Amino acid sequence: MTLTSDLLRGLNEQQHAAVTLPAQHALILAGAGSGKTRVLTTRIAWLIASAQVSPQGLLAVTFTNKAAREMLNRLSAMVAVNLKLMWVGTFHGLCNRMLRAHHRDAGLPASFQILDSQDQLAAIKRMLKAMQIDEDKVAPRNLMHFINACKESGQRAASVEAFDDYNRRFVELYSAYEVQCQREAVVDFAELLLRSYELLQRNQLLRDHYQLRFRHILVDEFQDTNALQYRWLKLLAGAGNAVFAVGDDDQSIYGFRGADVGNMMAFEREFRVDNLIKLEQNYRSAGHILDCANALIEQNNARLGKALWTDAGAGEPVRVQELVSDAGEAQWLVEQIKAIVRDGDRRSDVAVLYRSNAQSRVIEHALFSATIPYRVYGGLRFFERAEVKHALAYLRLIEQDDDDGAFLRVVNFPVRGIGARSLEQLQDLAKRRSCSLMAALAAGAESGLSTAALSRLRQFQQLIHGLRQATVMLPLADAVQKVIEQSGLAQHYSLEKEGQERLENLQELVNAAASFVSEDLPLAENLSPLAAFLSHASLEAGEHQALAGDDAVQMMTVHSAKGLEFQHVFITGLEEGLFPHENALSEARGLEEERRLMYVAITRARERLYLSFAQTRMLHGQTRYHIRSRFIEELPQAHLKWLSPRAQARWGPSSGEPYTLGGGLDSPGFGAGTGGDHLLSFERHAQAATAGVSLRIGQNVRHERFGDGVVVSLEGRGTDSRAQINFGRQGLKWLALSVAKLQLP
């Protein structure tokens, strides 16, 4: 048997066709779990083994260093060649290699240094300080995002159009940043690609050289390319090159990072691709799971189109569970995970996915309480997140202003112009007087601090004292909310381009405080509710998270789950406004990306898939009412197993046929089997009359124009009564009950 035939052994028909394509441009639509990596590496090995190209004549682009290493490891086992001769790596890695080889032509010294994201942010802060620009007026992180977005669209500062004074200021700072980086001989990640692109664009001889050298260009995860990456590839692809693009437009979920799913269709059109091969046989998931994924993604319009299938059998139906509350959802997760472990599977075979990081707090609390080891993949546990620790530091100072650790954490956050030298002087004084930093401010004149520095420190002291007075009589959740707002944390993060997630985590801290009080846990003697809550937060932030490699439940956002697979997958929080996220509901492109995100989540599961949603969820310390996600409605009922049959009857079929909503949150039997949720009381719900029928908060209703909804608030009496109803896609509506035509169960 020849080497080439040995390489091709075991490939299915479509994989074989892709690997053995002639030297022409090709687009491989590789569905989830279809053996994409195997096809890509086997293609490279086959080209070398069949003497169609030397290792030096190949360029392979991946999106992560991990993927590049995996590709090289597989190739080393397939062909006996010097892999160091090959150019295999990420866009940034390959551009760095090119710039090192041609640094003079690129206008760089041979020893130029690369700034990672943190280094770039520090460089921007240093520049702003040198220009005497207050960070409160120009947020360094926002400026960094602006600069990187310009570079990733191929624009230098001189070519960016300034639409207004605010934009003009950012363009001027972008120009100053370029000068600083050139002077210091440093380049950031976005600069690597832009400068490499400019080098190829203006240097015809160099462009010809690389076009002649790289006869075969292979690109992984093509759906994740941005505009500049695509343009860079087009410069390298000359008349005699063959570009082998592998990707899945249905898994394009990084639009917020600049990825353009339209690049796949543009590639097919602009490169006149005759070879479009669809890898649709899935080797990961059971049939019911794949059929749900296919039905969901078919709702998207802008796609190349494919349908996953498997010959491994239908497997078990997708389980769907409706819960009363987010706490009940978390408790239900715990019970299901315990059952999975009792059946003999490992905890590490279980993944809990959520759309937003803020959702992890309730789940973490339930797992911690049940002593189930867990690991937050690709992120920090809730109480370890910087914004949460900042808020807790303020709360610690309110409770005890002698807490020097909390003082140092937030004395200059948000920025108040208190420098490191001033803090060193204050620390020296505190050490001499054997007192806390806050107490040392009373004798601040002895510290040698300047009048301005001492004034700023005492303003911070007054802020803490003011917060203590403002919160002393407030319920715990309200106190936490006020601290977040009046400390400046909320405003600080609202100004950040990507601060929404941090704000959501801060609001989840308010929820944590409200839940802590509602649980009515026994407090230590003479311990205030705030002190008890801070102790609780410290305990949950302790070293109970499992280490990598331990047998532990895996927790992560759906974005972090891409590329991974698990035996059992739980997709939680499937409610309108949460998943799909409310920020995506206003435009079709945003909703389609959310649907692709759900598609990615579904296709992570091998054996069992669980979907859950809650009727109520804590938000801003208050209970809010939701309706289930449209994504559940888009799944075929034949492939679902409802664990709460009454909920299925109440919601009706997902085929879009008319159905009658029935039963409220406190209907007989509601929540059965949901970890105690059926005990939740709604005694405080209001009553309002409409056509002789009582409405109550949590009641399911149908409106002839707005569709299905849930009553979230009631006001007034008799003919003046009105109801606020969450109609999901149609939003929140206030309706006068004297005229509203509502169908009730």
Side-chain angles (χ1 to χ4, degrees):
M1 182 178 290
T2 64
L3 175 59
T4 53
S5 61
D6 191 44
L7 288 172
L8 302 176
R9 187 173 55 194
L11 297 177
N12 65 37
E13 183 179 348
Q14 288 73 31
Q15 291 173 335
H16 186 282
V19 167
T20 58
L21 279 171
Q24 297 174 352
H25 300 313
L27 179 58
I28 312 301
L29 279 182
S34 63
K36 168 181 65 72
T37 304
R38 182 183 184 187
V39 166
L40 200 56
T41 52
T42 306
R43 169 71 173 175
I44 295 172
W46 181 78
L47 288 170
I48 295 172
S50 59
Q52 297 185 53
V53 68
S54 67
Q56 296 95 319
L58 281 162
L59 176 76
V61 188
T62 66
F63 264 81
T64 64
N65 289 315
K66 179 182 177 182
R69 287 192 298 269
E70 182 180 356
M71 185 179 293
L72 288 171
N73 288 337
R74 291 196 186 194
L75 284 169
S76 65
M78 299 170 82
V79 287
V81 296
N82 184 0
L83 297 178
K84 292 182 179 179
L85 299 174
M86 296 176 57
W87 279 42
V88 177
T90 64
F91 278 101
H92 294 127
L94 295 174
C95 288
N96 175 53
R97 187 168 179 174
M98 185 177 291
L99 292 176
R100 297 289 178 187
H102 309 286
H103 62 90
R104 289 190 182 88
D105 293 321
L108 291 168
S111 58
F112 71 85
Q113 298 299 308
I114 300 173
L115 302 177
D116 63 19
S117 297
Q118 292 302 314
D119 292 334
Q120 183 186 13
L121 185 60
I124 288 173
K125 289 181 177 180
R126 182 160 40 83
M127 179 191 73
L128 292 175
K129 185 176 182 180
M131 297 175 71
Q132 297 183 329
I133 297 174
D134 195 331
E135 291 185 16
D136 289 337
K137 295 180 179 178
V138 177
R141 195 174 294 276
N142 285 358
L143 179 57
M144 181 175 75
H145 289 311
F146 174 82
I147 291 171
N148 290 343
C150 289
K151 290 185 177 185
E152 288 168 1
S153 65
Q155 291 182 293
R156 290 291 180 190
S159 63
V160 178
E161 185 177 355
F163 298 103
D164 51 37
D165 290 341
Y166 180 81
N167 186 259
R168 186 174 296 106
R169 186 59 167 149
F170 268 47
V171 173
E172 291 170 354
L173 292 172
Y174 177 15
S175 180
Y177 173 75
E178 286 184 311
V179 172
Q180 174 179 292
C181 289
Q182 188 66 32
R183 183 179 66 249
E184 297 178 357
V186 295
V187 298
D188 53 52
F189 284 153
E191 181 71 17
L192 284 171
L193 185 60
L194 178 56
R195 196 168 289 232
S196 177
Y197 170 78
E198 292 171 338
L199 176 65
L200 291 171
Q201 185 183 46
R202 68 171 178 264
N203 194 319
Q204 179 71 48
L205 289 176
L206 199 61
R207 187 164 70 250
D208 290 344
H209 164 74
Y210 281 110
Q211 287 178 351
L212 287 171
R213 174 175 177 174
F214 297 129
R215 310 304 293 178
H216 288 268
I217 300 173
L218 302 97
V219 188
D220 193 12
E221 305 286 7
F222 198 85
Q223 77 279 354
D224 292 333
T225 55
N226 62 31
L228 187 58
Q229 289 165 343
Y230 182 46
R231 288 160 64 184
W232 184 81
L233 287 167
K234 288 200 290 185
L235 282 180
L236 284 175
N241 302 80
V243 179
F244 187 86
V246 182
D248 183 2
D249 57 333
D250 291 334
Q251 294 191 75
S252 179
I253 60 173
Y254 296 117
F256 66 96
R257 293 182 185 170
D260 186 355
V261 66
N263 285 345
M264 294 191 73
M265 290 185 177
F267 174 75
E268 183 184 20
R269 180 180 65 255
E270 294 172 7
F271 282 73
R272 299 178 181 177
V273 173
D274 294 324
N275 301 307
L276 191 153
I277 295 178
K278 299 179 181 182
L279 303 182
E280 298 174 301
Q281 184 173 359
N282 179 280
Y283 294 93
R284 175 189 300 160
S285 305
H288 283 303
I289 295 170
L290 295 181
D291 287 338
C292 283
N294 290 331
L296 176 88
I297 204 63
E298 283 175 2
Q299 304 297 318
N300 276 2
N301 295 317
R303 57 190 296 262
L304 293 165
K306 66 180 183 314
L308 299 177
W309 62 274
T310 181
D311 60 8
E316 300 181 26
V318 174
R319 293 162 167 80
V320 185
Q321 178 66 300
E322 177 186 25
L323 289 306
V324 168
S325 67
D326 49 354
E329 180 184 51
Q331 187 58 41
W332 172 76
L333 281 170
V334 166
E335 298 304 323
Q336 296 300 312
I337 292 169
K338 286 180 177 178
I340 289 170
V341 173
R342 283 197 302 269
D343 288 343
D345 282 350
R346 292 168 54 86
R347 288 185 289 267
S348 55
D349 290 331
V350 178
V352 178
L353 310 185
Y354 35 83
R355 174 64 180 85
S356 169
N357 266 313
Q359 292 172 249
S360 77
R361 201 273 310 169
V362 176
I363 302 170
E364 286 185 61
H365 176 64
L367 292 172
F368 171 66
S369 300
T371 65
I372 296 177
Y374 70 89
R375 177 170 174 253
V376 178
Y377 181 91
L380 297 172
R381 290 173 296 168
F382 179 78
F383 286 109
E384 289 178 337
R385 294 165 192 163
E387 60 277 14
V388 174
K389 291 176 76 70
H390 287 326
L392 290 173
Y394 277 105
L395 292 167
R396 284 163 52 190
L397 283 174
I398 290 171
E399 181 64 26
Q400 174 54 266
D401 62 10
D402 290 339
D403 190 330
D404 285 352
F407 183 100
L408 290 170
R409 184 175 189 91
V410 295
V411 67
N412 198 41
F413 191 91
V415 174
R416 299 182 178 87
I418 300 172
R421 177 58 183 156
S422 297
L423 290 175
E424 287 175 6
Q425 291 174 296
L426 184 63
Q427 286 175 293
D428 289 341
L429 176 60
K431 186 175 181 181
R432 290 197 304 270
R433 298 178 68 90
S434 298
C435 66
S436 68
L437 295 173
M438 194 74 83
L441 286 175
E446 301 176 18
S447 65
L449 285 162
S450 68
T451 303
L454 186 57
S455 174
R456 285 190 285 266
L457 282 164
R458 284 178 171 164
Q459 286 174 11
F460 172 71
Q461 183 181 42
Q462 291 167 6
L463 170 66
I464 298 302
H465 290 168
L467 286 173
R468 183 178 295 125
Q469 293 172 0
T471 57
V472 66
M473 299 301 293
L474 292 178
L476 181 59
D478 292 346
V480 174
Q481 181 72 56
K482 185 170 284 291
V483 168
I484 289 170
E485 292 172 355
Q486 295 191 0
S487 65
L489 289 175
Q491 181 182 14
H492 172 81
Y493 289 121
S494 69
L495 295 174
E496 284 193 355
K497 181 181 178 182
E498 296 181 358
Q500 182 60 38
E501 184 173 292
R502 294 185 184 275
L503 289 172
E504 289 176 358
N505 285 332
L506 289 176
Q507 289 305 319
E508 185 57 31
L509 183 63
V510 178
N511 296 342
S515 297
F516 177 76
V517 173
S518 68
E519 288 174 0
D520 198 25
L521 298 175
L523 302 180
E525 188 176 355
N526 298 323
L527 204 59
S528 71
L530 176 56
F533 176 63
L534 291 171
S535 297
H536 161 78
S538 297
L539 289 172
E540 292 223 358
E543 295 299 323
H544 61 270
Q545 176 174 235
L547 300 174
D550 289 352
D551 183 25
V553 174
Q554 306 296 300
M555 293 178 56
M556 66 198 75
T557 64
V558 181
H559 280 102
S560 298
K562 188 172 182 292
L564 304 177
E565 57 184 77
F566 304 91
Q567 285 293 102
H568 311 281
V569 171
F570 293 83
I571 306 176
T572 62
L574 283 167
E575 297 133 36
E576 285 292 298
L578 188 56
F579 198 5
H581 197 278
E582 59 186 355
N583 293 345
L585 297 179
S586 59
E587 56 174 316
R589 290 184 62 182
L591 180 58
E592 291 211 343
E593 178 147 330
E594 287 290 297
R595 190 174 282 111
R596 292 195 293 269
L597 194 57
M598 179 64 176
Y599 175 83
V600 167
I602 290 173
T603 54
R604 299 310 94 196
R606 290 196 291 256
E607 183 178 322
R608 285 187 195 167
L609 176 64
Y610 301 78
L611 311 177
S612 63
F613 62 100
Q615 287 275 4
T616 66
R617 196 168 289 273
M618 290 288 288
L619 187 64
H620 308 304
Q622 297 179 337
T623 300
R624 300 292 176 91
Y625 296 84
H626 297 274
I627 62 174
R628 69 175 180 178
S629 169
R630 71 191 69 197
F631 295 155
I632 294 181
E633 297 175 13
E634 292 170 358
L635 303 181
Q637 286 290 314
H639 301 289
L640 304 182
K641 177 182 179 181
W642 286 79
L643 302 183
S644 44
R646 288 180 180 269
Q648 181 185 16
R650 182 165 57 254
W651 286 105
S654 60
S655 61
E657 298 173 2
Y659 56 88
T660 301
L661 294 172
L665 290 177
D666 48 358
S667 297
F670 179 84
T674 62
D677 264 353
H678 58 287
L679 300 176
L680 187 63
S681 172
F682 280 85
E683 292 180 358
R684 67 180 186 277
H685 68 242
Q687 297 279 336
T690 173
V693 183
S694 292
L695 266 188
R696 59 185 177 275
I697 292 175
Q699 176 69 57
N700 298 312
V701 296
R702 161 165 283 190
H703 188 273
E704 61 181 7
R705 176 181 173 189
F706 301 126
D708 304 323
V710 177
V711 178
V712 298
S713 183
L714 292 163
E715 289 184 357
R717 293 176 176 275
T719 58
D720 294 327
S721 60
R722 64 176 189 156
Q724 187 183 41
I725 302 174
N726 184 349
F727 287 107
R729 305 182 197 189
Q730 302 294 331
L732 288 168
K733 308 287 183 185
W734 278 103
L735 300 179
L737 297 180
S738 59
V739 296
K741 296 180 179 179
L742 297 175
Q743 297 177 14
L744 304 177

